Amino acid sequence: MFESLSERLESAFKQLKGQGRITEINVASTLKEIRRALVDADVHYKIAKEFTDRVKEKALGAKVLQAVSPGQLMVKLVQDELTALMGGQAASLSLEQKPSVILVVGLQGSGKTTFSGKLAYFIRQKLHKSPLLVAADIYRPAAIEQLKVIGQQIQVPVFSEEGLPAVEIARKAVTEAKNHGYQVVIIDTAGRLAIDEAMMQEVADIKAAVNPEEILFVADAMTGQDAVNTAKAFHDRLAFTGVVLTKMDGDTRGGAALSIKYTIQKPIKFVSAGEKPDTLDIFYPDRMAQRILGMGDIVSLVEKAQEQYDAEMAKRLEKKIRKNQFDLNDFKEQLAQIRKMGNLKDLLAMIPGMGKQLKNLDLNDDAFKGIEAIINSMTPEERANPDIIDGSRRRRIAQGSGRDIQEVNQFLKQFEQMRQMMKMMNKMGSINPLHIRKN
Ligand code: GDP
């Protein structure tokens, strides 16, 4: 995700290397490169320009602290601006009504039906409320069937009624929810391949009939600016309350995530990255900015990890990162947990400094086995203190693990880079691993 943007930004920051302070002249080419990188990530030129103007203003106005270099300062400023551009704070879901009605809208193929299922799962697992799914895409029997299959998988009931117009189905579903005590009604509406008046009218009618508390517009993140334009058309007509970006596991350049909030003034509430029900995440602008800057998303990683194992372990890990004591024993422990969690590439990309390295890796289980074999061939002392791993130790480790010495070298180098990143993030105070939001 966003790999090309991350790389381009990194090379933009590199131009400031060796500079003692920020001046109008030496910052100009960095800003230009940042602007180009954003435009190439499918961000509208005007937004990219305003972005770099703001960064420039802050950079020139900032007092460069002794402790940070101009490069580090720029990283921090860009991170703050990216966070602001994507909405600043995470936006929550409003579920006050009884029952709460959520209308899911968007083009056909954007991932509405898949998302509806994931949202139902999320609402039950994380918010501990009982959901009812509603199949209101009456034009495609396959879509109704698809929702039923998903409902079965996650054990959430699906309301559907043959032969009724979508508006009536929605109305009846809300009555059903009231009668049976379902707390959240999720209505999967019909989409078309492109904006279409009949579709808009139908969704507008459903909106008028059931007065939804949330209208979530689902957009395929891979479609970049198109997603932003479609969002605008939907919003003009429906005034939706939030955006969901799907297919974030694909090779998306980032344009939609970066500019939808700015353009529509409605927050991205969820991102979805995969086809399994548990691959839905709340969208945190700050964490996403960190990931874009190749600093990983250690907070999300820790949270995911927390879901898997006890709080004690996660706390210990957070503390170690805080104190710059994260070592290979911790890494090994993490790897074992991550392997259990599935979706390896995504999870690993959350580790600071890892995103880039992953790009060319064929991440099958074998790749992990290699790393694990290398770590397993180290002594506990070496794992606790990787600095002592000299040439002869490296040869021994390579032999013991049956891997090339180059592989051992590369892994140790990557691990060191990762530790440097963590150190830098601690220094900048840009992560607060002890403060784990839970909701
Ligand atoms: P709808 O027409 O808007 O209801 O879209 P669907 O939910 O049927 O999704 C269209 C296609 O995208 C299906 O093949 C889904 O499996 C796939 N899809 C949906 N969400 C994601 C996602 O987050 N990641 C990936 N890789 N595929 C997704």
Side-chain angles (χ1 to χ4, degrees), residues 7-136:
E7 260 168 39
R8 296 273 302 273
L9 290 175
E10 188 182 309
S11 83
F13 298 134
K14 274 208 183 115
Q15 295 179 4
L16 283 169
K17 218 172 167 180
Q19 302 286 348
R21 61 195 184 93
I22 283 181
T23 67
E24 183 118 19
I25 295 166
N26 68 16
V27 91
S29 69
T30 297
L31 289 170
K32 196 163 156 194
E33 181 53 24
I34 293 173
R35 193 156 57 235
R36 283 205 191 128
L38 288 170
V39 170
D40 288 346
D42 212 6
V43 172
H44 193 283
Y45 178 79
K46 186 172 144 266
I47 301 177
K49 173 81 169 59
E50 277 182 31
F51 184 95
T52 46
D53 284 351
R54 276 196 303 275
V55 171
K56 180 180 172 183
E57 194 181 319
K58 286 187 183 153
L60 294 177
K63 285 200 183 69
V64 179
L65 303 167
Q66 292 270 311
V68 294
S69 68
Q72 285 170 328
L73 177 69
M74 279 300 268
V75 173
K76 172 79 177 129
L77 291 177
V78 169
Q79 183 179 319
D80 289 349
E81 280 306 317
L82 283 175
T83 305
L85 185 64
M86 291 186 287
Q89 298 285 325
S92 59
L93 206 56
S94 168
L95 298 177
E96 299 294 322
Q97 294 173 358
K98 288 185 176 53
S100 298
V101 179
I102 302 178
L103 211 53
V104 179
V105 305
L107 293 183
Q108 189 178 319
S110 58
K112 276 188 312 299
T113 305
T114 310
F115 165 72
S116 298
K118 290 180 183 194
L119 182 64
Y121 185 80
F122 177 91
I123 283 171
R124 201 192 50 212
Q125 299 298 109
K126 303 263 171 79
L127 307 182
H128 311 293
K129 289 181 182 252
S130 61
L132 175 67
L133 282 163
V134 184

Side-chain angles (χ1 to χ4, degrees), residues 251-281:
D251 191 16
T252 155
R253 284 185 289 163
L258 289 166
S259 45
I260 230 166
K261 168 68 176 42
Y262 177 97
T263 311
I264 320 288
Q265 291 302 314
K266 283 290 152 66
I268 299 171
K269 294 200 170 179
F270 291 101
V271 282
S272 151
E275 305 192 36
K276 287 201 283 178
D278 59 354
T279 50
L280 181 70
D281 289 308

Side-chain angles (χ1 to χ4, degrees), residues 28 47 84 93-94 124 161 197 257 273 332 335 371 392-393 401:
I47 301 177
L93 206 56
S94 168
R124 201 192 50 212
E161 190 127 353
E197 175 47 32
K332 183 176 172 229
L335 216 53
I371 293 178
S392 75
R393 285 176 190 257
S401 60

Side-chain angles (χ1 to χ4, degrees), residues 192-387:
R192 302 278 194 282
L193 289 171
I195 300 284
D196 167 299
E197 175 47 32
M199 163 185 73
M200 286 290 188
Q201 188 57 50
E202 180 175 282
V203 183
D205 289 345
I206 298 177
K207 177 182 175 184
V210 298
N211 186 27
E213 195 169 350
E214 291 271 3
I215 302 178
L216 298 178
F217 170 74
V218 178
D220 177 342
M222 310 263 279
T223 60
Q225 275 306 300
D226 282 346
V228 179
N229 296 333
T230 310
K232 190 156 182 345
F234 269 84
H235 191 257
D236 287 348
R237 189 67 191 268
L238 291 169
F240 55 68
T241 56
V243 177
V244 178
L245 288 181
T246 62
K247 310 189 193 177
M248 294 289 275
D249 50 328
D251 191 16
T252 155
R253 284 185 289 163
L258 289 166
S259 45
I260 230 166
K261 168 68 176 42
Y262 177 97
T263 311
I264 320 288
Q265 291 302 314
K266 283 290 152 66
I268 299 171
K269 294 200 170 179
F270 291 101
V271 282
S272 151
E275 305 192 36
K276 287 201 283 178
D278 59 354
T279 50
L280 181 70
D281 289 308
I282 294 175
F283 180 74
Y284 292 103
D286 52 347
R287 300 184 194 180
M288 187 56 80
Q290 280 173 9
R291 279 181 80 168
I292 291 173
L293 291 176
M295 302 203 157
D297 178 0
I298 205 73
V299 183
S300 289
L301 180 67
V302 171
E303 274 187 359
K304 282 222 190 305
Q306 267 185 330
E307 283 168 18
Q308 297 287 322
Y309 52 68
D310 63 276
E312 275 308 302
M313 201 173 186
K315 248 202 192 109
R316 193 157 47 79
L317 169 69
E318 293 160 32
K319 232 183 224 155
K320 292 197 96 167
I321 294 173
R322 224 329 130 88
K323 293 186 175 166
N324 300 324
Q325 286 173 348
F326 188 82
D327 66 19
L328 282 162
N329 284 312
D330 305 311
F331 189 80
K332 183 176 172 229
E333 220 171 84
Q334 289 305 297
L335 216 53
Q337 293 296 335
I338 286 169
R339 278 181 63 138
K340 271 199 238 159
M341 289 186 237
N343 229 337
L344 303 174
K345 206 165 178 171
D346 276 357
L347 280 164
L348 268 189
M350 293 180 184
I351 298 177
M354 283 294 270
K356 253 193 336 255
Q357 333 275 359
L358 292 173
K359 205 175 99 183
N360 302 319
L361 266 186
D362 179 18
L363 263 190
N364 48 32
D365 273 355
D366 282 353
F368 276 86
K369 281 190 191 129
I371 293 178
E372 277 191 331
I374 289 172
I375 301 179
N376 284 337
S377 297
M378 296 173 184
T379 64
E381 194 193 352
E382 286 165 347
R383 280 184 223 132
N385 191 4
D387 292 340

